Amino acid sequence: MRLLARHAIRLLGQENRAGEVASIARGGIRLKATTGYLKLATASVQPVEPEKQVQRKNSPLTDSFGRHHTYLRISLTERCNLRCDYCMPAEGVQLQPKNNLLTTGEILRLARIFVEQGVRKIRLTGGEPTVRRDIVEIVAQMKALPQLEQVGITTNGLVLTRLLLPLQRAGLDNLNISLDTLKRDRFEKITRRKGWERVIAGIDLAVQLGYRPKVNCVLMRDFNEDEICDFVEFTRDRPVDVRFIEYMPFSGNKWHTERLISYKDTLQTIQQSWPDFKALPNGPNDTSKAYAVPGFKGQVGFITSMTEHFCGTCNRLRLTADGNIKVCLFGNKEFSLRDAMRNENVSEEQLVDLIGAAVQRKKKQHAGMLNLSQMENRPMILIGG
């Protein structure tokens, strides 16, 4: 990697006491790498052609363990129209001033830079990305980027019946819809808002428009474990991918092990009702373990971040709404691309070097459950789902 990148990595390797801010200094340039929010990544890497192997090795998107990152999740906003208790603390979160957040132009510029370096898939998250008035235009402009293969969104689905058709026309390739219960009263309890019917209508509209939406369900003991089989039944006549997500610790969500329902426990529950529930093939970078009931139109997946991590094949990076690159969902070190981009003395080449330096800092794998629960990290709403 270039001299600046090596220099940045060396400086970033000097751990700060009490979570202080580290800086990359070069002449008059100071690029901040903020700390105070956790760790990720291991397993086998799929073999690639020798020529591509050389390209990947020299790419700023390849980390020290050989993982090449082609998937970028961009948080468009910190705002949301729901208040899910595992995502947002009951007391709410302190939203940042507007000038601390990336502008639309800055988002699109960073998207272009990441694509030029090798990103092939972008997912727009939040907060709730559909609260952005320019969400359709952002999707259209990203779809115009050469070499970018997919643009998707993760949404709570509240306004899909109004926005999905314009988003499809803009080129939206896929969508993930968050839904933790198939019961109206429970929906209102966990989200602290109404709107369950609108979410179901949004899922059905997505199917009608030809999408195969992913329905993300966070399982929590003493809340929705009795709906596991109901969600599997939801896939009987709908071509949807219901994904059960293990409950994860983030600041303010009062995580504790008793609420965690493991993948193996969930699998056992399903197989009691459907003994022929079977595993399906998975892609090399899939985060979800795919299963299906034979004859059902949809399928089921398990995201096992807590009990069986998939760090070794992780190919994902995150960009927060305030412009920090986060190389691991659970990592507590972030690096400000916003500050670098707004510094007129920082060239685009140096911005790429900073991205590379951040990627080089990615750990082999994230910490264990108990350690994660004691480490400071942003609430999920401020990271981007």
Side-chain angles (χ1 to χ4, degrees):
M1 193 172 281
R2 303 177 187 85
L3 179 60
L4 177 60
R6 291 199 300 268
H7 180 54
I9 295 167
R10 189 164 61 249
L11 284 176
L12 291 174
Q14 299 171 1
E15 297 295 335
N16 297 316
R17 299 175 182 174
E20 293 173 352
V21 175
S23 297
I24 305 172
R26 187 174 187 268
I29 303 171
R30 295 180 64 81
L31 309 183
K32 291 183 180 179
T34 61
T35 64
Y37 289 132
L38 276 316
K39 292 182 194 100
L40 184 75
T42 116
S44 59
V45 177
Q46 293 293 310
V48 295
E49 298 170 17
E51 187 175 329
K52 288 185 178 179
Q53 237 170 6
V54 173
Q55 292 173 350
R56 290 184 174 186
K57 185 177 180 181
N58 295 328
S59 168
L61 300 185
T62 300
D63 68 18
S64 61
F65 299 96
R67 293 168 301 206
H68 186 60
H69 298 78
T70 58
Y71 182 8
L72 177 66
R73 302 172 72 96
I74 301 177
S75 176
L76 296 182
T77 179
E78 296 179 340
R79 294 181 295 120
C80 186
N81 44 10
L82 294 181
R83 296 291 182 270
C84 301
D85 66 3
Y86 59 81
C87 181
M88 181 184 289
E91 65 276 12
V93 294
Q94 183 66 45
L95 298 179
Q96 299 195 58
K98 186 176 180 179
N99 61 358
N100 283 4
L101 304 178
L102 294 177
T103 65
T104 300
E106 289 170 336
I107 291 169
L108 293 171
R109 181 187 176 197
L110 284 172
R112 173 185 58 78
I113 290 172
F114 274 97
V115 170
E116 288 174 352
Q117 300 308 313
V119 162
R120 294 296 173 261
K121 178 180 179 181
I122 289 178
R123 179 164 298 281
L124 304 175
T125 69
E128 169 52 42
T130 61
V131 304
R132 288 277 304 233
R133 294 180 180 178
D134 57 352
I135 179 65
V136 174
E137 180 62 22
I138 288 174
V139 169
Q141 292 206 39
M142 286 190 178
K143 283 297 292 182
L145 292 172
Q147 298 184 291
L148 183 60
E149 296 168 3
Q150 293 185 49
V151 175
I153 63 169
T154 294
T155 173
N156 58 34
L158 277 181
V159 297
L160 278 182
T161 52
R162 175 170 57 85
L163 276 181
L164 189 52
L165 189 56
L167 285 169
Q168 185 180 55
R169 289 171 176 160
L172 185 73
D173 295 294
N174 51 67
L175 68 159
N176 293 8
I177 302 168
S178 301
L179 181 65
D180 302 313
T181 178
L182 295 173
K183 299 180 179 181
R184 182 184 296 102
D185 58 338
R186 284 187 178 174
F187 178 89
E188 294 176 8
K189 179 180 178 181
I190 197 169
T191 66
R192 308 178 186 123
R193 296 290 186 274
K194 297 182 182 295
W196 178 85
E197 296 89 347
R198 283 186 282 160
V199 179
I200 297 296
I203 293 172
D204 289 338
L205 176 61
V207 171
Q208 291 169 20
L209 292 178
Y211 289 103
R212 188 181 177 91
K214 294 176 180 176
V215 178
N216 293 338
C217 173
V218 178
L219 286 178
M220 290 163 283
R221 201 172 301 282
D222 299 324
F223 177 71
N224 61 355
E225 75 266 41
D226 61 330
E227 294 188 65
I228 291 172
C229 290
D230 293 339
F231 271 102
V232 177
E233 185 66 30
F234 195 72
T235 70
R236 180 187 293 273
D237 299 316
R238 290 179 175 90
V240 300
D241 180 0
V242 169
R243 306 196 303 173
F244 292 120
I245 302 174
E246 291 181 338
Y247 185 44
M248 296 176 281
F250 294 98
S251 292
N253 73 352
K254 298 180 175 63
W255 184 91
H256 46 85
T257 54
E258 290 79 9
R259 293 193 76 182
L260 173 68
I261 303 174
S262 73
Y263 145 63
K264 289 185 176 178
D265 286 346
T266 308
L267 182 60
Q268 186 177 29
T269 297
I270 296 170
Q271 288 177 330
Q272 287 173 355
S273 296
W274 291 279
D276 55 351
F277 187 65
K278 63 179 183 179
L280 301 175
N282 295 304
N285 299 114
D286 286 351
T287 60
S288 178
K289 296 174 172 64
Y291 282 75
V293 177
F296 281 23
K297 289 184 178 180
Q299 65 183 60
V300 174
F302 301 89
I303 298 180
T304 61
S305 305
M306 295 293 96
T307 61
E308 293 184 19
H309 70 72
F310 33 84
C311 301
T313 55
C314 180
N315 69 336
R316 291 164 297 285
L317 300 171
R318 281 177 164 78
L319 183 64
T320 63
D322 57 348
N324 283 1
I325 180 173
K326 195 172 177 70
V327 297
C328 170
L329 174 61
F330 301 108
N332 63 357
K333 288 187 173 59
E334 303 177 355
F335 310 97
S336 179
L337 301 184
R338 177 202 65 201
D339 291 350
M341 193 163 43
R342 292 179 181 179
N343 188 325
E344 60 183 16
N345 295 317
V346 177
S347 67
E348 196 157 291
E349 182 181 19
Q350 289 172 324
L351 192 59
V352 172
D353 285 338
L354 178 57
I355 292 170
V359 171
Q360 285 296 308
R361 291 276 295 176
K362 187 165 182 171
K363 303 295 184 182
K364 186 177 181 181
Q365 68 185 67
H366 65 65
M369 286 187 292
L370 295 179
N371 286 336
L372 286 176
S373 65
Q374 296 166 12
M375 296 169 68
E376 184 66 22
N377 194 11
R378 296 185 184 221
M380 190 63 185
I381 191 171
L382 299 184
I383 295 175

